[in-house]
């Protein structure tokens, strides 16, 4: 049946990425495809993007989504207008071409030439009540109680609350239904909460979660918010990395950074010691979770999920995060139609699952991730179907497993997804290995015990077998996940089995060197991404530290 094209939208562009949705009807055989090109508006050559993903209408967990093509243009420049050309091709008819124009958001910053008002613990309340859009309130040294912000800024004129060395807030900083407020360089022993607030920025803050208050949370929006920018913060929780902490029911507490609503950017934060280090809300609390970026974060000691991207409708982009010591590195439980992207993430020492695609997750896209973990390399422990899973160019290594707080990590299979819906799965070009010396697993209903069988009996026709020797550094297998490891360097060595074995994907690996892209998060010869707070001002134990490159 032919496609009938509908409206094209680009909802909630972020600082670096733009989502594109093309609603359609028809195409019941799902063979329509949409190619993508983009460029800065009105100039330069077109750049090939990753094709949109075909998303049939569906429902799950009380949520519904429409029939469409959907995807993202990645790694764009902030504050820039782009033309995105979409070309629909359906063998049954209905071909069309559309150009959508959309702009990325600028990185939030204080207004140039803004009035700076010095405040003390005594004068803060009065200064807040009289603040006007564009004002900067600068907290001088001293101990401040938690406070509520009852004023809003405006676009380009945020109200800024800025800390200085020696200023410490003990309690909760609350913003309810506020707009255009920036919290900058604050030290908070407690929690930052911005329920129902739009265009809130939390930048270069230090948040020490309370062991007794505020659920042990760090930075949260527990009611629908829009377009938050949470960047370069250090957020420290109270959960201890030990066996009885592991799992959703373990002895753990707190969400490091948690949001609901569209358009959020969570990037370059250091988050450690929570139940979930970065998370979206779940079930009835999840509202309009789409077009959300989780980028370049340094994440460790996550007793449940390092990144919990649950209940995202589409275009949640989990990119270039580094995870060390986690029960589960990345969760999508479930993706509500998708596509939801996990791209160039790195995870080392994962006790249970590398990717938790459960509760009928549909439309997950895994590209260029590197994982070295205990037990099964890609093992998804669910009785629910895993639908429309798309993987390319991942580097996944497992080994002998064990049981940790009641959860078994598996026996070292390279893939074990018993409920994979193979009719709509597309996994290929992945580099897989196990330190057991075996190469076996289960791909839907298909068991395999060699690379040759995986290639001949599944979509992984171009998979390769690897071991820990693919890395330039000597990498130890994490046999005891309860060890607190430092983040290793998982870049590849020249001439190894993961070099030039991937598939080219527009706008994802366009700059690869050699005959083909390398497997995993790092292209040979490339620099490590900048994980966690970027060089500049960070905070440690309440004091300002200047990092020198």
């Amino acid at each position: 049946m032919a496609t009938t094209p509908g409206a094209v939208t680009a909802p909630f562009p972020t600082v670096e990425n733009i989502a594109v949705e093309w609603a359609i009807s028809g195409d019941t055989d799902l063979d329509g495809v949409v190619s993508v090109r983009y460029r800065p508006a009105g100039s330069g050559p077109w750049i090939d993007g990753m094709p949109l993903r075909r998303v049939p209408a569906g429902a799950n967990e009380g949520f519904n989504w429409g029939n469409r093509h959907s995807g993202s243009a990645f790694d764009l420049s902030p504050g820039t207008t782009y033309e995105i050309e979409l070309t629909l091709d359906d063998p049954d008819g209905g071909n069309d071409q559309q150009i959508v124009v959309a702009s990325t958001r600028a990185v939030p910053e204080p207004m140039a030439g803004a009035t700076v008002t010095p405040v003390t613990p005594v004068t803060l309340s009065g200064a807040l009540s009289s603040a006007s859009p564009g004002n900067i309130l600068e907290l001088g040294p001293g101990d401040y109680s938690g406070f509520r912000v009852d004023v809003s800024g405006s676009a380009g004129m945020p109200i800024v609350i800025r800390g200085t060395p020696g200023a410490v807030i003990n309690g909760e900083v609350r913003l309810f239904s506020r707009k255009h407020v920036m919290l900058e360089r604050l030290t908070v022993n407690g929690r930052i909460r911005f329920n129902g607030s739009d265009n809130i920025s939390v930048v270069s803050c230090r948040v020490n979660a309370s062991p007794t208050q505020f659920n042990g949370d760090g930075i949260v929006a527990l009611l629908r918010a829009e377009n938050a920018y949470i960047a370069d913060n250090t957020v420290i929780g109270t959960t201890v990395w030990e066996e009885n902490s592991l799992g959703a029911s373990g002895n753990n507490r707190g969400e490091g950074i948690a949001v609901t609503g569209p358009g959020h950017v969570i990037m370059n934060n250091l988050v450690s010691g929570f139940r979930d280090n970065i998370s979206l809300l779940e079930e009835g609390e999840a509202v309009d979770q789409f077009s959300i970026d989780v980028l370049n974060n340094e994440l460790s000691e996550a007793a449940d999920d390092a990144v919990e991207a649950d209940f995202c409708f589409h275009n949640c982009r989990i990119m270039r995060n580094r995870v060390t010591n986690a029960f589960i590195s990345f969760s999508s439980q479930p993706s509500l139609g998708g596509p939801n992207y996990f791209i160039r993430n790195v995870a080392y020492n994962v006790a249970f699952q590398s990717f938790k695609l459960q509760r009928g997750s549909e439309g997950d896209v895994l590209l260029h991730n590197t994982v070295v973990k205990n037990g099964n390399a890609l093992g998804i422990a669910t009785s629910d179907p895993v639908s429309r899973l798309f993987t390319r160019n991942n580097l996944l290594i497992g080994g002998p497993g064990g049981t940790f707080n009641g959860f078994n990590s598996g026996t070292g299979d390279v893939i074990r997804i018993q409920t994979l819906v193979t009719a709509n799965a597309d996994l290929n070009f992945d580099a897989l290995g196990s330190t057991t010396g075996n190469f076996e697993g289960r791909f839907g209903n298909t068991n395999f015990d060699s690379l040759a069988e995986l290639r001949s009996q599944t979509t992984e026709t171009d998979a390769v077998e690897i071991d820990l020797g693919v890395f330039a550094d000597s990498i130890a297998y994490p046999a005891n996940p309860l060890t607190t490891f430092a983040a290793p360097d998982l870049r590849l060595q020249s001439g190894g089995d993961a070099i030039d074995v991937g598939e080219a994907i527009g706008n994802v690996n366009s700059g690869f060197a050699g005959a083909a892209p390398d497997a995993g998060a790092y292209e040979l010869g490339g620099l490590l991404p900048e994980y966690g707070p970027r060089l500049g001002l960070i905070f440690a134990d309440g004091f300002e530290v200047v990092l020198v490159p």
Side-chain angles (χ1 to χ4, degrees), residues 381-453:
T382 180
S383 59
D384 299 317
V386 179
S387 300
R388 294 193 301 108
L389 176 61
F390 183 88
T391 78
R392 289 293 188 274
N393 307 343
N394 300 288
L395 190 162
L396 308 168
I397 298 178
T403 299
F404 308 99
N405 206 23
F407 296 88
N408 190 276
S409 64
T411 58
D413 291 347
V414 295
I415 296 176
R416 178 157 290 274
I417 316 175
Q418 298 186 144
T419 58
L420 181 67
V421 180
T422 55
N424 56 36
D426 189 354
L427 291 68
N428 203 4
F429 289 93
D430 295 312
L432 307 166
S434 175
T435 63
T436 63
N438 300 319
F439 191 97
E440 55 191 20
R442 181 160 177 161
F443 189 102
N445 292 324
T446 300
N447 292 308
F448 62 90
D449 59 13
S450 68
L451 176 62
E453 287 189 356

